[in-house]
């Protein structure tokens, strides 16, 4: 059974969007996704409670001592005898560090001892972890459970349906929040050689302006211009655009819907 997309769970946990019937059913039956959702909601609550927090307490001395001890222990590791397989099945130029599919370099030291830069990196990661622990300690000092992230008020929304020659299973939803952002949730958009762009259109005279570019994720938050007239520019349009340095609408609309409040 496929799990819900992580980015989608983040938007649900932040209250930026609501789960549909299928997603609610999946969360009820999938322990893995439900646990991830609860963890994200807890983190969102911590973040909401920390917005007014400026000063963190210094970490206890024994925490720093433990970090130093771990680093020194790693530095004193003996060199392992015998050859080690240091290349993956893909070919890389000599001296190039291995990386995962995302391109991130994998830290796999070729010697038993840590290099100086590795020790510095470990110290930086440890310090970042202490900052998180310190924040949680301050937030939980009262013994109270952090409040969940506040839910945004939806000022207007529109179901997005396939337009023109777009496959009929393409669909989505647009919602305007009270913080001046447009939330797009899309599904089954056809592959295009260029990119997707989001527009607001005035159906009376077909004047339009671009709101922003839609990425590869199923959810996107785009800022709207201040004091935008949503009664006039009420049509949300998702188009297929080419990398041709032309800022005008391509005329290839994929999804459209009319905002109502």
């Amino acid at each position: 059974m496929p799990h819900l997309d992580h980015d989608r769970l983040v938007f649900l946990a932040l209250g930026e969007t609501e789960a549909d019937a299928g997603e609610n059913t999946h969360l009820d039956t999938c322990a893995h996704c439900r646990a991830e959702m609860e963890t994200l909601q807890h983190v969102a609550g911590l973040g909401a409670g920390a917005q007014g927090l400026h000063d963190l307490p210094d970490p206890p001395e024994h925490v720093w001592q433990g970090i130093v001890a771990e680093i020194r222990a790693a530095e004193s590791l003996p060199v392992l005898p015998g050859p080690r397989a240091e290349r993956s099945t893909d070919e890389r130029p000599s001296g190039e560090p291995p990386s995962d599919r995302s391109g991130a370099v994998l830290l796999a030291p070729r010697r038993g001892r840590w290099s100086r830069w590795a020790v510095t990196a470990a110290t930086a990661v440890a310090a970042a972890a202490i900052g998180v622990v310190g924040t949680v300690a301050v937030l939980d000092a009262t013994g109270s459970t952090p409040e969940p992230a506040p839910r945004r008020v939806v000022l207007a929304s529109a179901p997005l349906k396939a337009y023109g020659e777009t496959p009929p299973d393409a669909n989505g939803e647009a919602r305007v929040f009270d913080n001046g952002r447009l939330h797009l949730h899309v599904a089954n958009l056809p592959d295009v050689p260029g990119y997707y762009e989001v527009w607001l259109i005035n159906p009376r005279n077909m004047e339009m302006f671009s709101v922003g570019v839609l990425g590869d994720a199923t959810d996107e938050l785009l800022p709207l211009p201040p004091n935008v007239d949503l009664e006039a520019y009420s049509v949300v349009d998702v188009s297929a655009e080419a990398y041709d340095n032309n800022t005008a609408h391509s005329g290839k609309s994929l999804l459209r819907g009319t905002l109502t409040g």
Side-chain angles (χ1 to χ4, degrees), residues 21-151:
E23 290 167 336
N24 281 325
T25 300
H26 182 87
L27 289 171
D28 290 339
T29 57
C30 178
H32 173 83
C33 290
R34 186 167 60 253
E36 185 175 1
M37 177 73 166
E38 292 172 352
T39 300
L40 291 171
Q41 287 176 328
H42 178 70
V43 173
L46 291 177
Q51 290 181 0
L53 189 64
H54 301 288
D55 298 320
L56 293 175
D58 293 331
E61 183 62 28
H62 71 271
V63 174
W64 286 116
Q65 293 175 356
I67 295 172
V68 173
E70 290 289 339
I71 293 175
R72 288 177 178 171
E75 285 185 309
S76 63
L77 289 174
V79 176
L80 296 176
R84 292 177 61 93
E86 296 179 359
R87 294 180 64 86
S88 64
T89 56
D90 62 320
E91 291 298 325
R92 296 188 306 274
S94 176
E96 180 180 318
S99 62
D100 62 11
R101 294 181 180 178
S102 66
V105 174
L106 301 178
L107 303 181
R110 296 186 178 184
R111 300 170 298 172
R113 291 176 60 84
W114 284 16
S115 62
R116 183 177 298 275
W117 68 265
V119 173
T120 303
T123 305
V125 171
I130 288 173
V132 173
V133 172
T135 302
V136 174
V138 171
L139 292 176
D140 292 341
T142 60
S144 59
T145 302
E147 293 293 330
R151 300 186 69 85

Side-chain angles (χ1 to χ4, degrees), residues 178-240:
D178 58 346
N179 62 351
R181 292 196 175 193
L182 175 68
H183 170 237
L184 272 297
H185 174 63
V186 297
N188 303 320
L189 282 179
D191 292 333
V192 297
Y195 59 96
Y196 308 110
E197 192 162 1
V198 182
W199 307 77
L200 284 183
I201 302 175
N202 186 331
R204 295 184 179 87
N205 53 22
M206 296 308 293
E207 289 183 355
M208 63 183 70
F209 64 88
S210 173
V211 178
V213 173
L214 190 64
D216 294 331
T218 57
D219 290 86
E220 193 80 46
L221 275 175
L222 299 172
L224 291 173
N227 303 321
V228 58
D229 187 356
L230 295 178
E231 291 187 0
Y233 292 86
S234 58
V235 174
V236 179
D237 177 278
V238 178
S239 67

Side-chain angles (χ1 to χ4, degrees), residues 145-189:
T145 302
E147 293 293 330
R151 300 186 69 85
R152 293 294 181 187
V153 176
V154 178
L155 301 180
S157 63
L160 302 179
K161 298 181 180 180
Y163 186 86
E165 299 180 357
T166 306
D169 61 341
N171 64 87
E173 182 185 22
R175 297 192 299 168
V176 178
F177 290 129
D178 58 346
N179 62 351
R181 292 196 175 193
L182 175 68
H183 170 237
L184 272 297
H185 174 63
V186 297
N188 303 320
L189 282 179

